[in-house]
Amino acid sequence: MNESEKRLNGYRRLIEIARDLASTLDLDILLNRIITASVDLIEAEAASILLYDEAARQLHFQVATNLDLQTLRGLIVPLEGSIAGWIVTNRKPVRISNAHVDDRYFPKVEQITHIPTESMLGMPLITKEKVVGVIEVINKRSGDFTTQDEDFLQVLSAQAAVAIENARLFQQSDLIAEFVHELRTPLATIGTAAYLLLRPEISQEQRESIVQNIHNETMRLNSLTSSFLDLARLESGRVQFHLVSFDLHTMVAECIQTMQGKADENHIRMSLEIPAEFPEVEADRDKMKQVVLNLLSNAIKYNSSNGLVEVVAANSPDSWSLFVRDTGIGIPAKAIPHLFQKFYRVQASEGKVAGTGLGLSICKQIVMGHGGSIEVKSRLGKGTTIILHIPHRLRKENVREISLAQTETR
Ligand code: ADP
């Protein structure tokens, strides 16, 4: 391709992206298209987009052409002492031919990615006067970055900024609308209950039952609020996963102990079968605990009286799996595809068993954050098994490195 063909091809790509901007609201898809186009048009080795977290005064990688999701998720760049930070603070592009001799350069990212940065072109992403992030293109294939490259990146950065703004507005309105909708039922119940309490004619017994009702609904609001916040944070991609090696048996045993009271109340027996020689696993222990607690809670809630809950683990060269099996009511086949949707609850359990419909969505986000997957097997009236699969190689040393970087910038 000669120069003018290249330029023409470039403009074509820019127009395609502009069209996509109007038609898809999936932020990661759009941003991925933008960085892929940047690498092609600017003839560079890699490109990435970092989003700016104003409260934490740091940037985190959202997409990159050369990093997997696992590595991306934890990569943090401080506002002070980094080129990306300089771009945010000064709202100006940066074009350099040797990053290593630049005293703004933040070497930690390179230590984690093992991709040396030589030349770099970076541009702020600005929407409505606010800097929302930075797009960076590294290592021009031959020679230095040119003014033409800067022009291309400027157009691409404007597109990325619009994509981010659109997606954020959409996500917020969508999430908030759903949340408000979910708040209405408990609030209406509490309102009615309070009104009834004020009536002189109701008996002491009725009064107690109403107060109990208010208490239950308040508890539900409480768990709805904290689950909603957990999920919103996980979905925003800003939650850090701190990987450690730990003994799976001990962790699951702790969860079983926590849930024992609830199981006893419902006459449910719980068992744990993880062989002593099972290797230590690598994961964010607290978050995996949250997943297991959620699954045990469901296995108890949706069980039948005198039912069983069994937890079993399996190991393979690439991954480990955890099975949480119950002898409960089961899930209708047509409901299974919806289980991981926010606020979704199987109709039969609504009203009978307390819940928010957010537990499994949170589990899925955490499992996906580990690069894993979650599977549901169920037979109506017989029971349900939820299976987690988590890969072994999670680049632990990288994540440790990242947690340190994060504590430093806090
Ligand atoms: P909830 O707070 O309602 O339990 P979840 O997201 O954890 O929310 O689960 C969503 C729905 O999936 C539940 O409302 C229930 O209908 C169904 N479900 C989850 N786990 C089980 C299980 N072990 N057995 C039967 N149904 C289940």
Side-chain angles (χ1 to χ4, degrees):
M1 228 189 278
N2 65 31
E3 280 310 309
S4 71
E5 276 172 345
K6 264 189 206 161
R7 199 166 314 138
L8 207 64
N9 179 40
Y11 293 138
R12 206 171 292 135
R13 290 289 289 272
L14 294 178
I15 292 167
E16 274 167 21
I17 293 173
R19 203 179 304 135
D20 288 344
L21 273 179
S23 60
T24 163
L25 277 163
D26 188 320
L27 184 60
D28 281 341
I29 293 180
L30 280 172
L31 295 186
N32 267 307
R33 278 183 200 156
I34 290 169
I35 51 170
T36 314
S38 313
V39 167
D40 289 353
L41 298 180
I42 297 173
E43 298 179 316
E45 194 183 330
S48 47
I49 287 177
L50 296 91
L51 296 186
Y52 177 46
D53 180 345
E54 215 177 338
R57 294 177 63 77
Q58 61 192 18
L59 292 111
H60 54 97
F61 279 79
Q62 181 74 14
V63 290
T65 52
N66 56 342
L67 301 176
D68 57 83
L69 192 70
Q70 191 61 47
T71 314
L72 265 184
R73 279 264 161 140
L75 272 178
I76 298 284
V77 175
L79 187 65
E80 275 91 30
S82 72
I83 295 177
W86 187 93
I87 296 174
V88 169
T89 312
N90 295 278
R91 300 169 156 251
K92 282 195 191 122
V94 159
R95 177 152 45 119
I96 42 180
S97 47
N98 186 353
H100 287 124
V101 299
D102 195 301
D103 54 12
R104 296 166 292 190
Y105 186 59
F106 180 66
K108 248 183 195 142
V109 172
E110 177 172 313
Q111 288 161 13
I112 293 168
T113 60
H114 304 295
I115 299 156
T117 303
E118 282 147 25
S119 52
M120 185 199 267
L121 180 61
M123 192 77 68
L125 307 178
I126 301 176
T127 67
K128 294 194 183 144
E129 309 291 308
K130 263 180 87 170
V131 183
V132 291
V134 169
I135 181 165
E136 283 181 349
V137 183
I138 60 165
N139 302 345
K140 176 90 177 170
R141 291 233 163 80
S142 71
D144 283 334
F145 289 113
T146 62
T147 327
Q148 159 91 52
D149 294 338
E150 210 173 308
D151 288 346
F152 266 141
L153 199 62
Q154 180 138 35
V155 179
L156 286 163
S157 71
Q159 294 183 326
V162 173
I164 292 165
E165 178 76 6
N166 281 352
R168 282 196 173 157
L169 286 174
F170 179 75
Q171 272 172 3
Q172 275 172 14
S173 59
D174 192 37
L175 259 184
I176 291 171
E178 275 180 281
F179 184 51
V180 169
H181 176 79
E182 291 301 316
L183 289 181
R184 282 190 201 287
T185 321
L187 283 176
T189 315
I190 293 172
T192 313
Y195 168 79
L196 287 176
L197 273 185
L198 290 170
R199 315 275 306 180
E201 68 272 22
I202 58 165
S203 68
Q204 183 58 25
E205 203 182 323
Q206 282 170 323
R207 213 170 276 277
E208 273 164 23
S209 135
I210 293 168
V211 171
Q212 186 60 46
N213 214 330
I214 294 182
H215 177 70
N216 292 347
E217 289 302 315
T218 314
M219 300 270 282
R220 205 168 95 76
L221 275 177
N222 230 331
S223 75
L224 193 64
T225 318
S226 44
S227 297
F228 177 80
L229 280 179
D230 272 355
L231 188 61
R233 277 197 207 106
L234 284 162
E235 283 192 343
S236 78
R238 288 200 213 157
V239 171
Q240 304 302 310
F241 288 79
H242 301 290
L243 303 191
V244 288
S245 276
F246 62 90
D247 177 51
L248 190 60
H249 188 284
T250 312
M251 187 274 269
V252 180
E254 285 168 17
C255 297
I256 289 187
Q257 201 179 8
T258 307
M259 299 309 292
Q260 195 63 55
K262 215 174 145 203
D264 290 346
E265 257 173 51
N266 293 278
H267 309 285
I268 310 276
R269 233 165 11 94
M270 293 189 286
S271 73
L272 170 57
E273 218 176 287
I274 299 178
E277 65 274 15
F278 203 85
E280 287 208 326
V281 298
E282 282 175 352
D284 184 315
R285 194 179 192 274
D286 290 342
K287 294 203 178 60
M288 286 311 297
K289 214 171 151 174
Q290 193 181 352
V291 171
V292 175
L293 283 170
N294 243 313
L295 297 182
L296 286 178
S297 164
N298 281 350
I300 296 169
K301 277 197 307 191
Y302 305 109
N303 218 315
S304 26
S305 196
N306 298 314
L308 289 178
V309 176
E310 288 175 297
V311 185
V312 180
N315 192 29
S316 80
D318 297 332
S319 63
W320 55 275
S321 309
L322 197 71
F323 297 69
V324 180
R325 192 176 296 145
D326 66 58
T327 53
I329 58 173
I331 302 165
K334 69 173 193 321
I336 291 181
H338 304 288
L339 286 185
F340 299 99
Q341 282 167 11
K342 281 189 284 279
F343 302 114
Y344 179 84
R345 306 198 67 207
V346 175
Q347 245 170 17
S349 42
E350 256 176 329
K352 278 193 220 149
V353 182
T356 59
L358 291 175
L360 286 178
S361 307
I362 293 173
C363 291
K364 186 171 178 191
Q365 285 288 332
I366 294 176
V367 168
M368 280 185 0
H370 284 85
S373 61
I374 185 163
E375 200 186 330
V376 182
K377 289 191 173 153
S378 189
R379 279 178 64 200
L380 206 56
K382 297 274 184 216
T384 302
T385 306
I386 310 276
I387 312 153
L388 312 175
H389 304 282
I390 310 286
H392 278 306
R393 270 168 289 283
L394 289 172
R395 299 174 186 240
K396 185 175 134 212
E397 65 285 358
N398 295 350
V399 176
R400 277 233 181 96
E401 185 68 55
I402 296 155
S403 327
L404 285 177
Q406 195 204 9
T407 358
E408 277 163 21
T409 53
R410 248 186 212 147

